[in-house]
Amino acid sequence: MLGEGRSSVELEALDSESPTSLTLLSPPDSVEILESSGLELHAKAFESFGAWSSAHRILAAGLVRETGLLSGARFGRVVLETYQLAPVLRLLAKPRPNLLIADDVGLGKTIEAGLILLELMARGRARRVLIAAPPGLLDQWQEELRERFALEVTVLENAAGVAREQTNLPAGVNPWDALPRVLTSIDFLKRETVRNRALRKRWDLVIVDEAHALAESGTPTNPYKTQRHRLGQQLRESSRGLVLLTATPHNGYRHSFRSLLELVDPTLATFEGDGKDVERRIEQARIRRMKRQLKRRTPDGGEEPVFPDRRVLGIPVRGLLDEERELLADVARYCAGAARAARGTDTEDLVTFAMQIVKKRALSSRRALATTIQRRLEALQKESAREAPPEQAELRDLQAGLPQSEITAERIAERVLRSAIPEDEKRRKSEVKALKAIRKKLDSLPTRDPKLEEVVAEIRRVLSEDPEEKLIVFTEYLDTLDALLERFEADAELRGRSVILKGGLSRKQRGARQRAFEESHARVLLATDAASEGLNLQRYCRRILHVELPWNPNRLEQRNGRVDRYGQNRQPEIRYCFYPESPEEHVLHQLVGKLEEMREDLISTPDVLGVWMGDGTLERELTDLGAEGTHVAERMEQLVRTFEDRTAEFIRDVQPFVVAGGADAAEMRQIAGLLGHAEPLSTEGDTLERAVREALGSGAVSPGPEPGTFRIDVSPAFRGAGVRPSYPAAAFDRGVAVRFKAEEVELITPLHPLVEALLADARRRFLQIYPDQRGLTPRRLAARRIPLGEQASILFTFLIRLTGGGDLVEEHLLAIRAGKDGRRLGDPLDNLRLIDCENPGEVSPQAVLDQFGSAFEASMSIARQEAEAWAGRRAEELRDHRRQQAAQLRRDLEVDLADRLREIDLEERRGRSVVDDAGQQHLFESRDLRVSFDARRKSAQTQVDERRKEIDAYEGVDEPAEPRLLGALFLVPEEPR
């Protein structure tokens, strides 16, 4: 607490090395004027060569590199694949770091986002970071950032989370403003009051997972903006950089896909014009790769797939009793009849949805069907058992498959069953009669459930081939999961060998069950869709068995992605059970096969989802199958042909939008070369290890418990924020660290808190050049021996920082070598090798004073002039490069604006033709239409003007600031023997 009459002000430094913020007290406790100490030649200014050299290596490790190289992305705890670096490099080349990463399910979009975050942090461009994800993925994000990137985030999952963090802050301080890295839920953030508070202060970087939830919803004839879409628009306005992650960027509707592109860059969201221009715009806004595209180099110079090809096969449930076939047919007739009877009424949509729920649960398990029938009968027969229908937005989200908790989805489904009640008493009685007949037939059947028996048979078959195999068994319904568990417990071979993972578990429970499946004798993970996101088991499991076929094919793909993802080194085996005698599942079985065929053409399930799911056609048709008086077989064939035709037409029309274009061979070769040039990891680790060892002093770094690891003991002088007193097992080589969990072996990189503490000490030594607490001048000089016959000289080191567009562009450590005669020797970058020497030799300060005293000031002046000239040349090189980039961006922008205006003209003409055909009474609407399209043209021009400003800011490279003189190294020839 501040005393009475005192106040505090927090200042953020936009361009400084350390610290990034300061809290000023007014009035201060005391005032002390510090006089700057220049680089002076005297005996007390000398440091040992080892300490001087180590500090320079620490400084060099933290420098921001040029745009084409990596500064921070090298430091994740990840075995990098070349394709994972493409998003980072694309962002660095953009005036504004906005990008839609639309990679296939399982490619590692979280890793790519983490690499982006590290890179922008290293460049000082991501001090305030907001990550928004579905509620069920918050734990995974927190764990991935901690495990793979050693980054801690504060989770504000809901109002309770905000209140929890508020207690750690001074009264009146907004957690959203004060916390540097925040992880939150999209559903929490979308609330208007939360959104306004969270986005009041601008974020440097915003990352949104499952970003398709931010797209405009509805069909082309009935589009609408959701709370999530409005959130997306505000996120773009409240951030300096926006990264959207989704494996489902295109749901089949252009307007929805366009709305995502608009969040990235509105000037690129135009589909009119030359095909190459449309493709260019999409590729500038989006990067998209499919598993089948990605290859890695082998030691013999060949290529191999990064992802093993998966096998997806259906398991037909055959041998049904006549009564079991009749039961499925009775359910189909009931559902189709009730849905048809509701057509044209106010409850049509609700009743149709209720019938879909009944049908889907009947195809899952008898337990699920029995529970559903009971709930429906109660609501039909008792008014007290009925409920108010869900909100329209809730229904839309459920039908669209947008992120929801399992509990929420189950509750909405139950409300649908209990609220979709016909007003007509005759219809209600008809439903009651049909349901009672179904229940009677269900009760008369043998206890064995054919689907569950097939699941057990498949598990046994797998374990008989390999007793060490593990399987994930997915079901959509909790009732089916409970029935499966009972069936397993009744089987001597499977009893006690399964783990349950479902919604409603705490973070601790979920983690414990996942570990139990990974590490114990358990062979089966029984899971609902609560596990279809945020569960990565590719290192332990390659088999998935679906109890039923989801009517939304994307749900199937999400489940498969739990094992068919980055890190899987065996062929994923996907199986699903289906009733071939069920028209619904027979159709779904055929559609799944066609989706797998499309993967050969680099078309993914999400790409065509709108064709099959967007307007509800698939659900309606499946609900209608089995109706009285219909020829089911003909209808099934017609349904499959219809979707084949619609899919072919869709792919033909939107080929540039859905076909992945981000795995260009030339781009991959360039990145592979970049890895080889910028990331010699073992050498880099060796260099950092030596620098840390020397900085911490003798004995601080000793051999660790595992090969390639070290024990590090940290002296109190370097125990800054996040630095532990000791690290029992640490590694500098990422290749060593990735073989262990983060809690087992600490990965030490230039972004690690320990190295940052050492870096801060080096900066204090060389950049904040004031006397220490004892009044001693900083020691910035050192000396070493060079071979006899080489020229005696002084190596002056400088830090060069180049800025542009308000951001740090790159940093350089220069070593200007000047002879005693004033001549410059060597290249400023090549001279850096002279800083590194294992046997420097002894040189007394007095010998240096005697030999260089008279030439020191002149040599330092020459070195400073050379450093300034070098910085000026480098700045001009960057300006030339950015001028060329900016010129091309401006040319493209003019094309984009012309195409957008033409697109608006076409839309207006189509709109007018509709109005005119309707007759004279719509003339007033026509005037409104003109105003609406004029507003769109003005908006397009405004967006282009804003884009020009971004390009102008990006093009500019500031005049270099005065080079920061760090120190001097005296190179003294060895004495003759």
Side-chain angles (χ1 to χ4, degrees):
M1 298 292 291
L2 298 179
E4 187 175 351
R6 302 189 73 189
S7 61
S8 67
V9 178
E10 186 169 344
L11 302 180
E12 282 197 14
L14 297 179
D15 183 19
S16 69
E17 293 90 358
S18 177
T20 58
S21 64
L22 289 173
T23 300
L24 304 183
L25 298 180
S26 178
D29 291 325
S30 62
V31 177
E32 180 181 356
I33 300 176
L34 300 176
E35 294 185 3
S36 175
S37 297
L39 190 60
E40 299 176 357
L41 180 60
H42 53 80
K44 293 183 179 180
F46 278 82
E47 178 65 276
S48 70
F49 174 79
W52 187 93
S53 175
S54 170
H56 274 79
R57 282 196 295 276
I58 291 287
L59 282 172
L63 295 181
V64 170
R65 307 183 178 202
E66 61 181 284
T67 300
L69 298 177
L70 300 176
S71 294
R74 301 168 294 152
F75 306 139
R77 193 188 190 94
V78 185
V79 178
L80 288 176
E81 300 285 351
T82 54
Y83 76 86
Q84 292 172 330
L85 296 176
V88 184
L89 295 175
R90 287 202 186 184
L91 273 180
L92 293 179
K94 293 165 72 75
R96 177 172 175 160
N98 287 12
L99 186 65
L100 170 62
I101 302 178
D103 286 344
D104 201 2
V105 174
L107 258 69
K109 290 181 287 296
T110 307
I111 291 175
E112 293 171 341
L115 296 174
I116 288 170
L117 177 53
L118 282 184
E119 187 65 32
L120 294 183
M121 284 177 59
R123 294 171 180 270
R125 296 171 63 182
R127 297 187 181 100
R128 277 180 40 81
V129 179
L130 176 67
I131 302 170
L137 297 185
L138 297 183
D139 289 348
Q140 180 193 352
W141 266 95
Q142 187 177 34
E143 182 181 347
E144 289 268 311
L145 290 174
R146 180 185 294 130
E147 173 78 20
R148 296 183 182 275
F149 305 105
L151 292 175
E152 293 295 334
V153 292
T154 304
V155 181
L156 301 181
E157 68 278 20
N158 50 31
V162 174
R164 179 185 64 240
E165 295 303 323
Q166 186 73 72
T167 61
N168 299 322
L169 296 169
V173 174
N174 180 4
W176 300 98
D177 292 349
L179 298 170
R181 290 190 293 271
V182 172
L183 172 61
T184 191
S185 156
I186 293 177
D187 288 344
F188 180 52
L189 191 60
K190 74 181 182 183
R191 301 176 189 173
E192 186 175 2
T193 53
V194 177
R195 186 170 73 234
N196 291 340
R197 194 169 183 223
L199 305 183
R200 183 175 62 183
K201 185 177 178 181
R202 194 176 180 89
W203 296 90
D204 294 326
L205 178 66
V206 171
I207 299 171
V208 183
D209 198 7
E210 301 296 333
H212 55 275
L214 304 183
E216 194 174 78
S217 294
T219 63
T221 56
N222 185 31
Y224 58 90
K225 290 178 170 57
T226 63
Q227 273 188 308
R228 292 187 182 96
H229 181 62
R230 287 189 285 272
L231 168 64
Q233 292 174 314
Q234 197 163 343
L235 286 173
R236 185 184 191 279
E237 297 304 316
S238 302
S239 64
R240 297 182 67 208
L242 178 65
V243 175
L244 306 179
L245 312 176
T246 177
T248 57
H250 202 302
N251 63 1
Y253 295 139
R254 288 192 179 194
H255 76 93
S256 179
F257 182 53
R258 180 205 294 275
S259 68
L260 279 181
L261 297 185
E262 285 176 337
L263 296 181
V264 175
D265 185 345
T267 67
L268 298 175
T270 301
F271 302 148
E272 181 63 31
D274 181 83
K276 290 184 178 179
D277 285 319
V278 174
E279 186 175 355
R280 167 185 55 78
R281 286 193 283 264
I282 292 172
E283 286 304 309
Q284 285 180 353
R286 177 211 71 181
I287 186 167
R288 178 165 172 77
R289 283 78 54 86
M290 308 295 289
K291 293 190 184 84
R292 288 177 176 268
Q293 290 176 293
L294 302 174
K295 311 286 184 183
R296 66 162 65 94
R297 291 279 182 181
T298 57
D300 61 2
E303 289 184 335
E304 65 179 7
V306 174
F307 294 86
D309 199 18
R310 74 189 189 193
R311 276 200 309 176
V312 179
L313 296 174
I315 302 174
V317 182
R318 301 189 186 277
L320 299 184
L321 301 173
D322 290 342
E323 294 84 355
E324 291 169 334
R325 284 192 290 270
E326 290 172 7
L327 176 67
L328 293 177
D330 288 347
V331 171
R333 277 194 298 273
Y334 158 68
C335 293
R340 286 187 171 191
R343 286 179 187 169
T345 69
D346 293 340
T347 59
E348 177 180 357
D349 290 342
L350 203 58
V351 171
T352 301
F353 195 14
M355 293 305 103
Q356 290 168 13
I357 293 171
V358 175
K359 236 185 192 188
K360 287 191 284 186
R361 292 190 175 183
L363 296 170
S364 178
S365 70
R366 290 180 184 171
R367 175 81 58 88
L369 175 60
T371 304
T372 306
I373 289 174
Q374 183 61 33
R375 291 172 179 170
R376 182 70 178 163
L377 275 172
E378 288 174 356
L380 286 166
Q381 294 177 304
K382 300 177 184 178
E383 193 169 342
S384 61
R386 297 170 192 171
E387 297 190 29
E391 297 291 333
Q392 191 65 30
E394 292 178 311
L395 285 175
R396 286 171 173 170
D397 287 354
L398 187 64
Q399 289 176 303
L402 293 178
Q404 286 183 326
S405 71
E406 185 176 280
I407 295 173
T408 300
E410 285 270 341
R411 186 70 188 108
I412 292 174
E414 183 169 352
R415 286 173 64 190
V416 169
L417 286 170
R418 293 183 180 275
S419 63
I421 306 301
E423 294 182 2
D424 180 59
E425 184 179 358
K426 184 178 179 180
R427 285 172 53 203
R428 291 200 300 272
K429 287 183 176 179
S430 175
E431 277 202 52
V432 169
K433 181 180 178 181
L435 286 171
K436 285 184 175 180
I438 291 171
R439 184 170 64 181
K440 182 178 180 181
K441 186 166 291 186
L442 182 62
D443 292 341
S444 69
L445 291 173
T447 55
R448 59 176 288 279
D449 187 319
K451 268 257 178 108
L452 305 192
E453 293 303 315
E454 197 63 57
V455 169
V456 170
E458 173 64 11
I459 295 172
R460 282 177 168 173
R461 185 193 66 78
V462 169
L463 295 181
S464 69
E465 292 179 0
D466 184 355
E468 298 302 313
E469 279 277 25
K470 293 177 181 284
L471 302 90
I472 307 174
V473 177
F474 270 112
T475 178
E476 195 166 344
Y477 304 110
L478 289 169
D479 298 319
T480 301
L481 183 142
D482 291 338
L484 273 170
L485 182 60
E486 288 181 16
R487 178 62 184 85
F488 287 0
E489 291 303 305
D491 189 291
E493 187 178 348
L494 298 179
R495 186 183 304 122
R497 306 191 73 187
S498 60
V499 175
I500 298 289
L501 194 58
K502 60 182 180 178
L505 299 176
S506 67
R507 180 188 311 174
K508 186 176 181 180
Q509 289 172 324
R510 186 181 174 94
R513 295 191 184 189
Q514 181 172 340
R515 287 191 297 275
F517 176 61
E518 294 171 356
E519 300 169 0
S520 73
H521 70 288
R523 288 293 169 262
V524 180
L525 180 68
L526 275 174
T528 61
D529 284 301
S532 67
E533 292 181 338
L535 183 71
N536 303 330
L537 293 172
Q538 66 274 23
R539 289 180 173 82
Y540 304 92
C541 181
R542 68 184 181 112
R543 292 184 177 271
I544 284 180
L545 175 58
H546 305 276
V547 177
E548 67 279 307
L549 276 170
W551 287 21
N552 184 334
N554 197 47
R555 179 170 289 174
L556 196 74
E557 190 62 32
Q558 285 289 341
R559 293 175 177 179
N560 294 342
R562 299 315 96 207
V563 300
D564 184 14
R565 63 188 305 107
Y566 178 69
Q568 178 64 263
N569 54 26
R570 299 182 295 165
Q571 182 178 43
E573 297 285 351
I574 313 298
R575 303 289 184 269
Y576 56 86
C577 296
F578 74 102
Y579 288 116
E581 294 173 272
S582 159
E584 301 83 8
E585 289 208 316
H586 184 74
V587 168
L588 289 169
H589 166 62
Q590 292 190 30
L591 296 185
V592 168
K594 295 186 183 302
L595 283 170
E596 287 301 306
E597 291 174 6
M598 284 186 223
R599 293 178 67 245
E600 300 283 346
D601 299 323
L602 305 180
I603 304 296
S604 74
T605 300
D607 295 332
V608 296
L609 201 60
V611 173
W612 294 5
M613 300 293 298
D615 59 0
T617 299
L618 180 61
E619 296 107 317
R620 285 197 303 272
E621 292 288 352
L622 293 177
T623 305
D624 209 37
L625 278 177
E628 291 277 5
T630 59
H631 299 285
V632 176
E634 293 180 9
R635 189 71 195 96
M636 288 163 56
E637 291 180 10
Q638 181 184 352
L639 184 56
V640 173
R641 283 198 304 271
T642 297
F643 283 112
E644 284 179 334
D645 294 342
R646 290 179 63 177
T647 301
E649 179 183 358
F650 169 76
I651 292 175
R652 183 181 65 248
D653 291 344
V654 299
Q655 189 84 353
F657 309 137
V658 300
V659 173
D664 178 78
E667 181 182 55
M668 291 298 101
R669 285 195 298 271
Q670 177 188 2
I671 296 173
L674 170 67
L675 273 174
H677 173 69
E679 199 176 12
L681 293 176
S682 59
T683 303
E684 187 175 75
D686 291 343
T687 302
L688 185 60
E689 176 208 332
R690 182 178 164 202
V692 170
R693 186 188 295 274
E694 291 173 348
L696 291 177
S698 176
V701 180
S702 57
E706 299 288 344
T709 67
F710 301 87
R711 175 183 176 85
I712 303 176
D713 295 297
V714 184
S715 67
F718 299 114
R719 293 180 194 171
V723 181
R724 299 202 296 266
S726 67
Y727 299 89
F732 296 89
D733 186 335
R734 183 169 54 183
V736 172
V738 295
R739 300 202 301 265
F740 304 92
K741 293 183 177 180
E743 61 266 23
E744 296 172 341
V745 173
E746 189 88 3
L747 175 60
I748 308 297
T749 74
L751 294 182
H752 190 277
L754 172 60
V755 180
E756 289 184 337
L758 298 176
L759 177 61
D761 180 71
R763 288 186 183 278
R764 282 192 296 271
R765 179 179 303 178
F766 292 122
L767 295 174
Q768 298 166 8
I769 46 178
Y770 300 108
D772 62 16
Q773 295 177 343
R774 293 172 295 171
L776 300 177
T777 302
R779 295 185 292 179
R780 301 162 61 199
L781 309 179
R784 57 159 286 199
R785 293 289 182 181
I786 56 177
L788 183 65
E790 285 196 21
Q791 185 173 349
S793 53
I794 311 173
L795 195 73
F796 294 93
T797 54
F798 293 87
L799 178 65
I800 306 294
R801 290 170 55 85
L802 300 174
T803 59
D807 292 315
L808 175 62
V809 177
E810 60 184 35
E811 296 175 303
H812 295 276
L813 182 63
L814 296 187
I816 311 294
R817 186 180 180 186
K820 289 197 295 183
D821 57 1
R823 286 193 303 116
R824 293 185 294 274
L825 305 174
D827 178 82
L829 295 179
D830 291 342
N831 287 340
L832 290 172
R833 61 183 171 78
L834 296 169
I835 293 175
D836 194 1
C837 179
E838 294 188 5
N839 299 298
E842 294 293 331
V843 183
S844 70
Q846 189 58 51
V848 171
L849 293 173
D850 293 341
Q851 190 167 355
F852 293 94
S854 60
F856 180 72
E857 291 293 337
S859 297
M860 183 166 58
S861 177
I862 291 170
R864 193 184 296 277
Q865 292 172 18
E866 177 60 22
E868 291 172 352
W870 191 97
R873 292 192 298 272
R874 179 57 186 161
E876 191 56 38
E877 290 174 2
L878 287 172
R879 288 192 195 102
D880 287 343
H881 176 67
R882 290 198 169 193
R883 283 190 200 108
Q884 295 175 29
Q885 282 184 291
Q888 184 60 53
L889 289 171
R890 292 189 184 101
R891 287 193 294 270
D892 291 342
L893 191 59
E894 293 304 316
V895 174
D896 298 343
L897 177 59
D899 285 345
R900 178 58 184 146
L901 294 177
R902 191 178 305 111
E903 189 175 52
I904 294 172
D905 290 342
L906 290 173
E907 292 170 354
E908 183 177 20
R909 282 201 292 272
R910 285 193 293 267
R912 287 183 183 281
S913 67
V914 172
V915 172
D916 293 340
D917 290 344
Q920 181 67 33
Q921 66 271 25
H922 292 287
L923 287 178
F924 180 75
E925 293 178 10
S926 179
R927 288 194 293 272
D928 287 348
L929 194 70
R930 184 176 63 251
V931 171
S932 171
F933 282 99
D934 285 345
R936 294 188 200 182
R937 293 184 183 92
K938 289 180 181 177
S939 176
Q941 186 62 60
T942 299
Q943 291 163 354
V944 167
D945 291 342
E946 291 175 355
R947 177 68 172 168
R948 285 197 186 102
K949 292 178 182 177
E950 290 177 359
I951 295 172
D952 291 344
Y954 175 76
E955 179 183 18
V957 175
D958 304 328
E959 284 298 318
E962 181 180 346
R964 304 287 296 275
L965 178 58
L966 302 177
L969 174 65
F970 296 89
L971 303 171
V972 182
E974 294 177 346
E975 297 178 347
R977 296 183 179 178

